[in-house]
Amino acid sequence: MKSEILRLLKESDGYLSGQQLCSHFLVSRTAVWKVMEQLKKEGYEIEAVRNKGYRLVDSPDVMSRAEIESLAKGRWAGARVVYYEETDSTNTRAKEAADKGGGQGEHGTLFVAERQTAGKGRRGRGWESPAGASIYMTLLLRPDFLPIKAPGLTLLMAVAVAKGIRKCTGLACKIKWPNDVVINGKKVCGILTEMSAEIGYINHVVIGVGINVNQERFPKEIQDRAVSLKQELLHSVRRSELIAAVMEEFEVCYEIFLKTEDLSGIKEQYNRLLVNQDQDVKVLEPGNEYEAHALGINDTGELMVRMKDGRERCVYAGEVSVRGVYGYV
Ligand code: ATP
């Protein structure tokens, strides 16, 4: 009921009458009043006027299940939210729920945390996850396609994040192939996709997304390559609104992906956003490092590069990192 009341408050231009809310939810006036009090405690500014009802004056940067669900607007991606004040990693929570089954293990559940104690990057690396300023979320999917197609989902999410940020803030982000979103050469978002599969069959896929939203500084080790939206904009961004925007964009990308079960319908958008497009890059494979010219992704999401000797080659994301010749991008 809380998510629903919040949604009605947001959608209403004027006052919402207490009596109408009571009849809508078949509850007492006291029950409605209690929800309003809870919302106020969470930071919402709600005005209550006798004979008129309730009006939402301001919603701050609240991260909660009710806030995120109230913005979901009937979509499947993120329509059900599992929220943690603190957890080790939202990817771990999502995988656990998927293995367990039940409501939280369904396609489209979004796991969100205010703080992660063991945020993960690719290949065992960490993701800096303090409280109060960032988005740490994992979308659980149960796709019907073959496991070999799943790596494409990381690229879809990168497009969704870049477009979601653009929509909410106007900032033009780029994608560093395959899984990072960058602004002016610094990383604002990392994406980690994990899968549980058998030969020819996907049990589930979890796509973890960490977005630096309102941080004012970063630890020394990453400050030369990490950036937040606030550092770029010089003002804060409402995290729940950004989550909703990313989920909305992801749904659109996912529907396009499902038509062909590859990236052919997204490739052009991705390549337009690709920071490495038509750039010289350094490809770091385990035990092999070389420079090449990046040509963009193909239908399966591999990065096509032209080697110094003119031969073209596909770089597969699994074990590889791509850097700019002189720096991170
Ligand atoms: P690759 O090019 O292989 O993706 P990467 O170094 O960007 O390399 P990821 O696994 O995508 O690797 O992300 C993990 C790395 O990101 C960490 O090793 C750290 O350098 C950096 N990092 C950790 N936390 C943050 C953060 N909050 N913001 C930006 N960068 C971070």
Side-chain angles (χ1 to χ4, degrees):
M1 176 166 92
K2 194 159 111 186
S3 313
E4 208 31 45
I5 288 190
L6 196 51
R7 185 204 302 270
L8 292 171
L9 281 170
K10 284 184 181 166
E11 284 171 357
S12 152
D13 290 335
Y15 290 87
L16 269 183
S17 110
Q19 188 50 51
Q20 270 174 348
L21 288 171
C22 296
S23 337
H24 184 81
F25 293 105
L26 300 175
V27 295
S28 66
R29 273 179 179 267
T30 319
V32 169
W33 176 82
K34 274 191 183 153
V35 171
M36 297 299 173
E37 287 307 299
Q38 274 174 23
L39 290 171
K40 281 190 207 165
K41 265 202 202 115
E42 287 169 17
Y44 298 94
E45 204 182 316
I46 295 168
E47 189 186 33
V49 176
R50 195 182 277 270
N51 295 330
K52 278 189 172 173
Y54 299 97
R55 185 172 74 93
L56 185 63
V57 181
D58 193 21
S59 22
D61 177 32
V62 175
M63 280 259 281
S64 66
R65 177 178 165 199
E67 172 69 22
I68 301 164
E69 285 184 350
S70 78
L71 294 165
K73 298 204 179 94
R75 297 189 307 268
W76 57 264
R80 179 188 293 104
V81 172
V82 183
Y83 178 77
Y84 304 90
E85 276 297 320
E86 177 180 304
T87 190
D88 47 0
S89 139
T90 53
N91 269 24
T92 307
R93 292 284 78 75
K95 286 190 283 185
E96 206 174 73
D99 285 336
K100 213 158 126 200
Q104 294 190 352
E106 276 175 23
H107 182 75
T109 305
L110 185 68
F111 297 77
V112 180
E114 178 66 54
R115 172 169 184 257
Q116 293 186 121
T117 52
K120 294 191 273 188
R122 294 204 300 159
R123 285 173 277 150
R125 290 185 290 239
W127 186 259
E128 180 64 26
S129 309
S134 295
I135 291 172
Y136 314 113
M137 63 179 181
T138 297
L139 182 63
L140 169 60
L141 300 176
R142 292 192 178 275
D144 273 337
F145 46 74
L146 291 172
I148 197 172
K149 319 244 175 182
L153 296 172
T154 304
L155 284 76
L156 291 189
M157 187 57 91
V159 171
V161 170
K163 291 180 76 179
I165 291 178
R166 179 76 182 248
K167 195 161 155 193
C168 269
T169 67
L171 285 173
C173 303
K174 291 278 182 181
I175 298 170
K176 184 176 91 64
W177 183 86
N179 68 324
D180 295 323
V181 179
V182 296
I183 300 180
N184 295 328
K186 290 184 167 187
K187 183 143 92 179
V188 71
C189 164
I191 298 166
L192 176 70
T193 302
E194 298 180 87
M195 171 168 68
S196 156
E198 279 141 49
I199 295 176
Y201 177 80
I202 295 179
N203 293 319
H204 62 256
V205 174
V206 302
I207 312 178
V209 180
I211 309 179
N212 300 325
V213 184
N214 293 326
Q215 286 101 319
E216 285 173 5
R217 63 190 70 84
F218 289 93
K220 234 195 261 123
E221 316 81 71
I222 56 168
Q223 68 187 10
D224 61 329
R225 67 160 67 160
V227 71
S228 71
L229 299 176
K230 186 173 183 180
Q231 284 175 327
E232 285 293 313
L233 292 164
L234 305 176
H235 64 76
S236 301
V237 174
R238 287 186 186 150
R239 288 173 292 168
S240 298
E241 282 175 16
L242 181 53
I243 291 174
V246 172
M247 288 300 112
E248 198 176 333
E249 296 293 344
F250 184 82
E251 267 196 25
V252 175
C253 292
Y254 192 73
E255 304 298 333
I256 297 173
F257 183 86
L258 285 187
K259 282 190 196 146
T260 51
E261 295 191 353
D262 66 16
L263 291 154
S264 48
I266 293 287
K267 189 170 69 176
E268 260 180 46
Q269 278 191 65
Y270 188 95
N271 284 335
R272 269 201 303 275
L273 291 167
L274 185 63
V275 74
N276 318 102
Q277 178 77 3
D278 292 322
Q279 300 293 316
D280 289 336
V281 292
K282 217 189 265 177
V283 181
L284 312 176
E285 289 175 355
N288 185 24
E289 192 179 309
Y290 58 89
E291 281 183 23
H293 191 74
L295 305 169
I297 61 160
N298 61 16
D299 288 352
T300 45
E302 291 152 350
L303 184 68
M304 311 285 295
V305 296
R306 189 180 314 111
M307 315 275 286
K308 290 240 154 96
D309 61 10
R311 280 181 303 141
E312 286 185 11
R313 177 170 176 176
C314 303
V315 183
Y316 176 72
E319 288 290 303
V320 176
S321 295
V322 165
R323 297 272 181 272
V325 176
Y326 301 109
Y328 183 59
V329 293

